[in-house]
Amino acid sequence: MYLEIVTPEAILFSSEIDSMSVPGVNGEFQMLNNHAPVVSNLREGTIKIHIHNQTNLELDDLSGKLVPDSADDKILTLLINSGTLELNDNKAIILAD
């Protein structure tokens, strides 16, 4: 699955991922490859991005907003205040504040 996270300031993340968990307005939910299409509002919380391989990621370019999880280095986390998620055909876009 391909994920892009966009804020008003910059594109924070753009890469292939294995799965992700997001803070939906009705609770946290996870999406895997080939998930049904989804459009959802997001509340304040943490986006967890599960990646198998970090070789193509350059975390220095992310201004410290995306950080590896302390318990598992294959999970990146991002704190958001709110946002919107659209997932269709294995491409997810998150517009985050």
Side-chain angles (χ1 to χ4, degrees), residues 5-6 14 25 27 33 37 45 47 53 59 63 72 75 81 89 97:
I5 301 175
V6 180
S14 183
V25 292
N33 217 13
I47 296 172
N53 188 344
L59 295 177
S63 304
D72 186 347
I75 299 176
N81 293 320
D89 294 329
D97 292 334

Side-chain angles (χ1 to χ4, degrees), residues 1 18-20 22 29-40 85-92:
M1 164 175 18
D18 293 333
S19 66
M20 69 176 153
V22 295
F29 63 98
Q30 183 178 35
M31 288 156 286
L32 302 169
N33 217 13
N34 298 316
H35 193 282
V38 169
V39 174
S40 177
L85 160 75
E86 180 181 0
L87 171 67
N88 194 14
D89 294 329
N90 280 332
K91 181 172 182 186

Side-chain angles (χ1 to χ4, degrees), residues 69-88:
D69 187 75
S70 59
D72 186 347
D73 65 353
K74 293 183 179 169
I75 299 176
L76 299 175
T77 60
L78 173 68
L79 295 174
I80 62 168
N81 293 320
S82 65
T84 303
L85 160 75
E86 180 181 0
L87 171 67
N88 194 14

Side-chain angles (χ1 to χ4, degrees), residues 54-75:
Q54 291 189 18
T55 57
N56 295 327
L57 297 177
E58 295 183 22
L59 295 177
D60 292 340
D61 293 342
L62 301 176
S63 304
K65 294 184 181 193
L66 262 166
V67 295
D69 187 75
S70 59
D72 186 347
D73 65 353
K74 293 183 179 169
I75 299 176

